[in-house]
Amino acid sequence: MNIGIAFDLKADFLSQKPADAPDDLFEEYDSVGTVDAIQRALESRGHTVSRLGGGRRFLARMLEAAPALVFNISEGHGSRSREAHVPAVCEMLGVPCTHSDPLTMAVTLDKAMAKRVVASAGVPTPRFVVLEELRDMERVELPFPLFAKPLFEGSSMGIRKRSRIEDRAQLRERAGQLLHDYAEPVLIEEFCGGAEFTVGLLGNGERSRVIAAMEVEPLLVPRTEFVYSLEVKRNPDWADEIAYNVPPKRPRAEVERIEKVALDAYRALGCRDIARIDVRCDTAGDPKFIECNPLPGIAPGWSDLAILWERIGKSYDELVLAVLDEACARARLP
Ligand SMILES: Nc1ncnc2c1ncn2[C@@H]1O[C@H](COP(=O)(O)OP(=O)(O)O)[C@@H](O)[C@H]1O
Ligand SMILES: [Mg+2]
């Protein structure tokens, strides 16, 4: 089968970065090494692979000669619906595509929308307020500490140790900075000061299932202050700062509660094929939905999902092929 990979490379965007933009502006985009690794995995099954890229280049290639299936890791560009661009084009042209459909992609990138959907399905998530402008701060009546982040970013963009907020002065300073840097609304949430997990999920419909939960354990700071921030993720000596525990070193019943929050959210959001869902406990130990990544990064040895997959003893190729198998079964492809 001919499979086209849709992707956006960090290198293609760096030249467009305004001088005063935050240094994580293109953090979500991929490196060519990830595309190479996906291509190798698909070729190991005997498929022929074409590189479609993203944006207009992707559109032109799809109109010229569409593949039998698109393997999608394209983050898109420019709006809170950006992750929906590639699946929407595929849907319009009748070409099967891996990962979630445009609706799920768009709903999950807007973290408040995702929280409203999962909450309506009975999945616990921290209480929140969306600030469109700094003046909206007056509406924040949640108890401190709070957490502030851009409404529709991922890959730790705008997430720093100082995203945990202790008082109104910090709220004003941090929210003002985020509104300025990302030119989009800011999500203010109750801070969950308990254990942190990210859960890998695979499958469709009744066959949706948890791959594993991975605890992200802080080694240098107490849990009540920990933020799995860009500083931590970029630290070349990250192993000094955090431990990734797969499975979490916790009683099975506790892990099952975490996994249930993630699986219920996966279903409520209508995820397809694969996703990674962040769950964090509050200080009472109750797990809460934080966010859903229906297009989880799979940079080998680097992305959380690739690490989680490695820790359950499976190869990188098996990860790529697991996604492919789910998409093919769903689209009734051989
Ligand atoms: N409400 C919250 N309470 C406590 N920690 C939070 C909260 N929201 C986010 N965090 C911390 O910030 C990290 C990144 O937030 P997240 O929403 O997952 O952003 P990203 O899309 O960049 O991964 C989380 O892994 C967690 O450590
Ligand atoms: Mg996250």
Side-chain angles (χ1 to χ4, degrees):
M1 172 163 70
N2 182 252
I3 302 177
I5 309 177
F7 57 87
D8 297 296
L9 296 183
K10 205 179 274 186
D12 291 341
F13 286 102
L14 281 177
S15 60
Q16 300 172 23
K17 187 167 145 337
D20 64 340
D23 80 330
D24 59 12
L25 193 63
F26 300 125
E27 199 67 24
E28 64 192 318
Y29 298 119
D30 278 292
S31 74
V32 76
T34 302
V35 182
D36 290 342
I38 294 169
Q39 176 161 358
R40 275 196 299 275
L42 297 173
E43 286 173 348
S44 76
R45 268 275 179 86
H47 298 298
T48 54
V49 173
S50 51
R51 296 188 178 214
L52 305 172
R56 287 171 178 271
R57 196 165 63 131
F58 166 79
L59 253 188
R61 290 184 178 158
M62 287 295 284
L63 292 172
E64 204 178 278
L69 172 109
V70 170
F71 193 102
N72 177 28
I73 62 160
S74 165
E75 300 281 341
H77 184 61
S79 75
R80 67 176 178 173
S81 305
R82 61 190 180 272
E83 290 187 359
H85 292 171
V86 160
V89 167
C90 292
E91 205 175 274
M92 182 188 252
L93 299 178
V95 178
C97 173
T98 64
H99 297 72
S100 288
D101 75 349
L103 187 137
T104 297
M105 292 294 192
V107 167
T108 53
L109 195 57
D110 184 316
K111 288 176 176 163
M113 291 289 184
K115 285 161 69 68
R116 291 183 191 110
V117 170
V118 303
S120 72
V123 178
T125 186
R127 287 182 295 168
F128 69 101
V129 177
V130 175
L131 309 185
E132 304 277 344
E133 51 185 354
L134 205 51
R135 237 188 324 180
D136 297 341
M137 244 187 73
E138 286 153 28
R139 289 195 289 110
V140 178
E141 285 169 3
L142 301 168
F144 290 95
L146 298 173
F147 197 82
K149 56 190 167 187
L151 185 59
F152 40 84
E153 300 302 336
S155 310
S156 302
M157 290 166 64
I159 310 268
R160 298 290 191 280
K161 285 175 186 154
R162 63 180 186 278
S163 305
R164 181 182 179 281
I165 290 170
E166 306 246 11
D167 55 36
R168 287 204 98 75
Q170 285 183 4
L171 175 61
R172 170 176 298 280
E173 188 275 325
R174 194 66 199 132
Q177 187 72 45
L178 287 172
L179 285 164
H180 169 269
D181 283 354
Y182 296 93
E184 69 188 68
V186 171
L187 177 63
I188 306 295
E189 279 183 311
E190 292 175 305
F191 185 82
C192 296
E196 160 135 17
F197 305 85
T198 194
V199 183
L201 301 111
L202 203 57
N204 293 292
E206 286 301 303
R207 291 189 60 254
S208 302
R209 60 208 182 271
V210 168
I211 303 166
M214 176 164 89
E215 180 169 358
V216 182
E217 184 191 359
L219 302 176
L220 302 180
V221 294
R223 281 211 174 81
T224 47
E225 280 162 38
F226 177 64
V227 176
Y228 189 27
S229 63
L230 197 67
E231 292 106 327
V232 176
K233 291 182 193 179
R234 277 187 183 171
N235 178 2
D237 302 318
W238 56 264
D240 299 339
E241 257 190 279
I242 43 166
Y244 293 121
N245 302 326
V246 185
K249 295 174 193 156
R250 291 174 180 276
R252 187 62 214 155
E254 202 180 320
V255 177
E256 275 168 10
R257 282 185 73 202
I258 311 291
E259 292 180 352
K260 183 176 178 343
V261 166
L263 188 56
D264 288 350
Y266 186 89
R267 292 199 162 119
L269 291 163
C271 293
R272 295 192 322 200
D273 301 346
I274 193 157
R276 217 196 75 234
I277 292 185
D278 295 339
V279 176
R280 188 158 181 182
C281 294
D282 58 19
T283 43
D286 292 324
K288 304 275 168 73
F289 167 88
I290 297 292
E291 61 136 2
C292 171
N293 302 282
L295 205 56
I298 52 169
W302 170 258
S303 297
D304 288 342
L305 186 64
I307 295 172
L308 181 156
W309 189 263
E310 218 171 74
R311 298 285 168 98
I312 60 167
K314 294 194 181 181
S315 73
Y316 185 81
D317 285 5
E318 285 175 293
L319 170 59
V320 173
L321 295 173
V323 175
L324 178 69
D325 286 341
E326 292 297 339
C328 286
R330 180 170 51 71
R332 299 199 165 78
L333 287 169

